[in-house]
Amino acid sequence: MVAATPILLAALGELVVERAGVLNLGVEGMMIVGAICGFAAAVETGSPVLGFAAAALGGAALSLVFGVLTQFLLSNQVATGLALTLFGLGLSALLGQGYVGVKPPATARLDLGPLGDLPFVGRVIFGHDWVVYLSLALTVAIWWFLTRSRAGLRLRAVGESHDAAHALGLRVRATRMAAIAFGGAMAGLGGAYLSLVRVPQWTEGMTAGAGWIALAIVVFASWRAGGVLIGAYLFGGVTILQLNLQAAGAAIPVEYLSMSPYLITIAVLVLISARGNRRTLGAPADLGRQFHATR
Amino acid sequence: MKRRTFLGAAATAALIATGATAQDEPLKVGFIYVGPVGDGGWTYEHDQARQAVEAEYGDRVETVFQESVPEGADAERVMTQMALSGADLIFATSFGFMDPVMNVAERFPDVKFEHATGYKTAENVSNYSARFYEGRAIQGYIAGEMTETNQIGYIASFPIPEVVRGINAAYLAASEVNPDVQFNVVWLSTWFDPAREADAAQALIEQGADVILQHTDSTAPQAAAEAAGNVITFGQASDMAEYAPSPRVSSIIDNWAPYYIDRVGAVLDGTWESQSVWQGIDKGMVEIGEITDAVPEDVRAEAQRRMDAIANGEMHPFAGPINRQDGSAWLAEGETADDATLLGMDFYVEGLTGDIPN
């Protein structure tokens, strides 16, 4: 669960962004900026909760740069997203100069009383920090928002056909900016989970590709919250499992074990998305297309 | 056109200045680093040594450095720039700078180069490396004495001789004092990925290891061990003292300062010659960080005795009889390994389980 949570958080944010019709490839950059913002805030204030809040703000602030460039100045989304990743990596290195080798305050495990004392189940299911449960709650909330709520319907309309949505009087640009900011905040949380819980320390480039995996999981999950959850947990679970197998001395060559998280995640998610073939793969129709009201 | 003429003239002037370094001008020493100076490990220690050079020679030297230089064409550019701006001696501190060093050295025969952990030399290029396996033998001894579960976890980076040598040295020392000891080696294919190092440490602890050795550079395993409670670890490359007295009970420190001071001094008094060195505990290039109170007094004393014995040559981490993993004989009774075999080591010694990835 610990290995899956950062990817899950970032992928959920990207899911909402893409459902609104925006392709933001800057997840990695927003994650690493979230990692350093959260780390710095947690160290300075001594509170991990404030750290996570600062991480969400930092990620959202960076994503708004992307939002302004792509939604108002109509720059190319793919190129801007890639630039955002490079910018985020550089910016985080700069911000993080004073924080190398510092230990962050510990993020508390949620005390669930007697539940945590249950054998095995207590440790596996109830023995985590609060961010893990937050990420699960957010998965449900986002699923409900996208499929059951009015606002979610509007957001999907904007993603499927921004011209039609505009003609109906929906505010395309405002919706997309909100989605972008939300995606940035989620990526920021994911990054902070790495620097505050999973590692926990600050080092340059510590996201090490997690943002790209999050992007891939959104695609393979055919843009559904449930699929994102399965993908992230599958990837995280197999990552940990292969290390455990190595440590236990399994007679499988190390190289196969190392690639197994990627292979198994792709295989299972392809199977999941194959079921939805009749309704197309599920990509929003206007994904990555620019919108301008006068066109 | 004008600018080009100016640049050319400046370059020529710089070259002349380089060739005719007088005693009254400070010796300019350049350093190029593969990582940021704040990485807390490899590059950090090289930069500490640079500062030691400045402290030793004061006004007689001037140092410049460039951090986070990618291995490849950029390294060549950085070193060319340093040479053009008057550097007399350049330390290139990563294995991947080897070919760039050779190329630049050819173009600047009057500039001297020192390359860390490589194997190529030229008239004006030396290389140097440290016998880290001597330090690992000490850590292995402490690990063998300290483990209660007899399970020792080892986080390994790449399957190169340097890393394999470390595993063998640590295992031999641990199994000598504790024949029941078992090593679990996890290969990560990275020098530095804190998240995966943390996960690997976690996996090893779950498999029952109560001692973690590592050949990767972050402090993430220390953090995982601290969270787990009664697990001990060792600092790698740098002291990592922020985790002392436990889980970090000792460490291997790369101490380049004596060598850098020595070599800069050699350039200053004109005795610098190209060489190829591999130094260990005896010359102080490999240091053992403070062994903390978490280790019993008698084990600390014996570790110290072994350090001294290795330093004065009475003891060798690879002294026969030693068999290879498949049971074939490697070293006979009383025989010690030669450097050529050590430098190319690609096999486990008898008793280690698992395979080395290829």
Side-chain angles (χ1 to χ4, degrees):
Chain A
M1 277 180 147
V2 168
T5 302
I7 301 170
L8 174 63
L9 286 166
L12 283 173
E14 182 66 14
L15 171 72
V16 172
V17 176
E18 294 195 8
R19 273 300 184 97
V22 180
L23 184 63
N24 185 355
L25 297 182
V27 180
E28 179 89 2
M30 300 185 298
M31 274 185 93
I32 190 110
V33 166
I36 183 57
C37 286
F39 190 84
V43 168
E44 298 302 333
T45 63
S47 156
V49 179
L50 284 178
F52 278 102
L57 284 178
L62 188 68
S63 71
L64 285 177
V65 174
F66 171 86
V68 169
L69 286 171
T70 56
Q71 302 306 307
F72 292 93
L73 304 176
L74 299 184
S75 69
N76 179 297
Q77 290 182 6
V78 172
T80 312
L82 292 174
L84 195 72
T85 287
L86 297 175
F87 175 60
L89 286 170
L91 181 69
S92 64
L94 179 70
L95 292 174
Q97 281 191 341
Y99 292 98
V100 176
V102 179
K103 273 201 276 184
T107 304
R109 273 161 200 265
L110 212 55
D111 189 9
L112 295 169
L115 285 179
D117 297 334
L118 295 172
F120 187 71
V121 182
R123 196 172 63 86
V124 172
I125 299 179
F126 301 113
H128 297 283
D129 49 88
W130 57 271
V131 189
V132 170
Y133 303 107
L134 175 72
S135 69
L136 293 173
L138 279 167
T139 311
V140 176
I142 286 169
W143 168 80
W144 181 86
F145 171 81
L146 285 176
T147 56
R148 297 286 184 271
S149 77
R150 263 185 104 78
L153 190 65
R154 291 205 192 98
L155 181 131
R156 276 159 55 208
V158 166
E160 291 297 337
S161 171
H162 48 224
D163 291 326
H166 180 63
L168 285 170
L170 297 182
R171 298 172 62 201
V172 174
R173 236 164 26 187
T175 308
R176 287 190 171 168
M177 285 300 282
I180 289 168
F182 178 76
M186 293 289 283
L189 283 180
Y193 192 78
L194 272 178
S195 65
L196 288 176
V197 182
R198 189 169 168 214
V199 175
Q201 66 176 17
W202 162 253
T203 44
E204 281 176 33
M206 67 182 302
T207 47
W212 299 110
I213 292 162
L215 273 169
I217 281 177
V218 175
V219 177
F220 286 117
S222 5
W223 289 269
R224 282 183 220 135
V228 168
L229 181 74
I230 294 171
Y233 272 78
L234 196 67
F235 182 83
V238 180
T239 303
I240 300 285
L241 182 68
Q242 68 97 357
L243 289 170
N244 272 302
L245 283 175
Q246 271 201 56
I252 309 168
V254 173
E255 294 86 346
Y256 294 112
L257 287 173
S258 307
M259 66 170 123
S260 59
Y262 305 91
L263 288 180
I264 293 178
T265 306
I266 290 173
V268 171
L269 289 172
V270 163
L271 284 178
I272 294 174
S273 59
R275 282 190 319 181
N277 253 350
R278 264 168 290 167
R279 296 182 295 161
T280 74
L281 270 177
D286 274 358
L287 180 62
R289 285 180 52 202
Q290 282 169 349
F291 169 74
H292 193 274
T294 57
R295 246 186 286 181
Chain B
M1 190 63 199
K2 246 181 196 165
R3 203 173 74 170
R4 194 171 291 169
T5 319
F6 169 73
L7 278 180
T12 316
L15 273 177
I16 293 167
T18 313
T21 307
Q23 290 302 317
D24 46 347
E25 271 199 33
L27 182 81
K28 194 164 178 181
V29 187
F31 294 80
I32 73 165
Y33 303 138
V34 71
V37 295
D39 71 351
W42 181 258
T43 294
Y44 173 80
E45 290 298 333
H46 283 286
D47 197 57
Q48 292 298 107
R50 178 188 68 80
Q51 291 171 22
V53 166
E54 283 204 324
E56 175 79 16
Y57 294 109
D59 292 342
R60 295 172 67 197
V61 297
E62 178 196 348
T63 66
V64 290
F65 68 91
Q66 177 87 45
E67 52 185 337
S68 297
V69 178
E71 299 178 335
D74 280 341
E76 211 166 315
R77 206 148 47 229
V78 168
M79 280 186 281
T80 304
Q81 186 61 41
M82 272 182 184
L84 283 175
S85 58
D88 308 287
L89 173 63
I90 294 176
F91 288 91
T93 63
S94 184
F95 180 81
F97 294 150
M98 183 159 64
D99 290 325
V101 165
M102 300 312 289
N103 294 340
V104 178
E106 207 178 323
R107 275 185 284 137
F108 296 94
D110 293 332
V111 180
K112 295 170 177 61
F113 293 84
E114 293 271 349
H115 177 236
T117 69
Y119 53 82
K120 293 185 181 171
T121 55
E123 191 85 329
N124 58 336
V125 182
S126 284
N127 67 51
Y128 60 99
S129 187
R131 295 176 185 269
F132 302 116
Y133 67 87
E134 295 184 350
R136 290 192 188 276
I138 305 295
Q139 322 280 272
Y141 161 72
I142 299 174
E145 290 280 12
M146 294 287 288
T147 181
E148 280 166 15
T149 60
N150 293 329
Q151 297 278 331
I152 293 178
Y154 201 110
I155 303 173
S157 48
F158 293 98
I160 59 172
E162 167 74 50
V163 178
V164 176
R165 208 158 53 223
I167 296 171
N168 284 333
Y171 176 75
L172 288 172
S175 61
E176 182 198 335
V177 295
N178 182 349
D180 297 329
V181 84
Q182 277 204 332
F183 268 42
N184 276 340
V185 184
V186 170
W187 295 92
L188 293 188
S189 304
T190 176
W191 287 114
F192 190 74
D193 182 343
R196 290 183 65 201
E197 291 171 50
D199 292 342
Q202 193 60 45
L204 288 165
I205 291 167
E206 278 168 17
Q207 298 290 335
D210 62 350
V211 178
I212 305 274
L213 292 158
Q214 69 186 93
H215 204 139
T216 50
D217 292 341
S218 88
T219 53
Q222 277 74 22
E226 191 170 48
N230 52 355
V231 176
I232 63 166
T233 64
F234 299 86
Q236 147 76 6
S238 194
D239 198 27
M240 302 186 176
E242 66 264 32
Y243 288 95
S246 188
R248 169 222 165 277
V249 298
S250 183
S251 56
I252 306 176
I253 306 174
D254 310 350
N255 180 14
W256 308 104
Y259 181 74
Y260 286 6
I261 289 170
D262 181 47
R263 297 304 275 167
V264 170
V267 175
L268 280 171
D269 58 27
T271 57
W272 192 94
E273 270 181 8
S274 172
Q275 62 176 24
S276 192
V277 298
W278 200 21
Q279 296 179 348
I281 292 178
D282 55 340
K283 297 276 176 25
M285 198 180 265
V286 175
E287 269 185 1
I288 306 296
E290 187 216 351
I291 304 170
T292 66
D293 297 343
V295 178
E297 180 59 43
D298 57 327
V299 178
R300 266 189 285 165
E302 171 64 11
Q304 185 60 50
R305 190 196 68 76
R306 285 169 178 246
M307 267 152 69
D308 298 339
I310 289 175
N312 62 29
E314 285 168 16
M315 192 176 181
H316 194 290
F318 293 101
I322 303 175
N323 290 342
R324 291 191 176 85
Q325 188 182 26
D326 57 16
S328 62
W330 174 35
L331 294 174
E333 177 80 44
E335 201 183 346
T336 54
D338 59 88
D339 282 0
T341 315
L342 288 181
L343 283 168
M345 186 176 265
D346 60 355
F347 58 88
Y348 279 153
V349 295
E350 194 172 44
L352 280 165
T353 51
D355 296 318
I356 302 172
N358 36 45

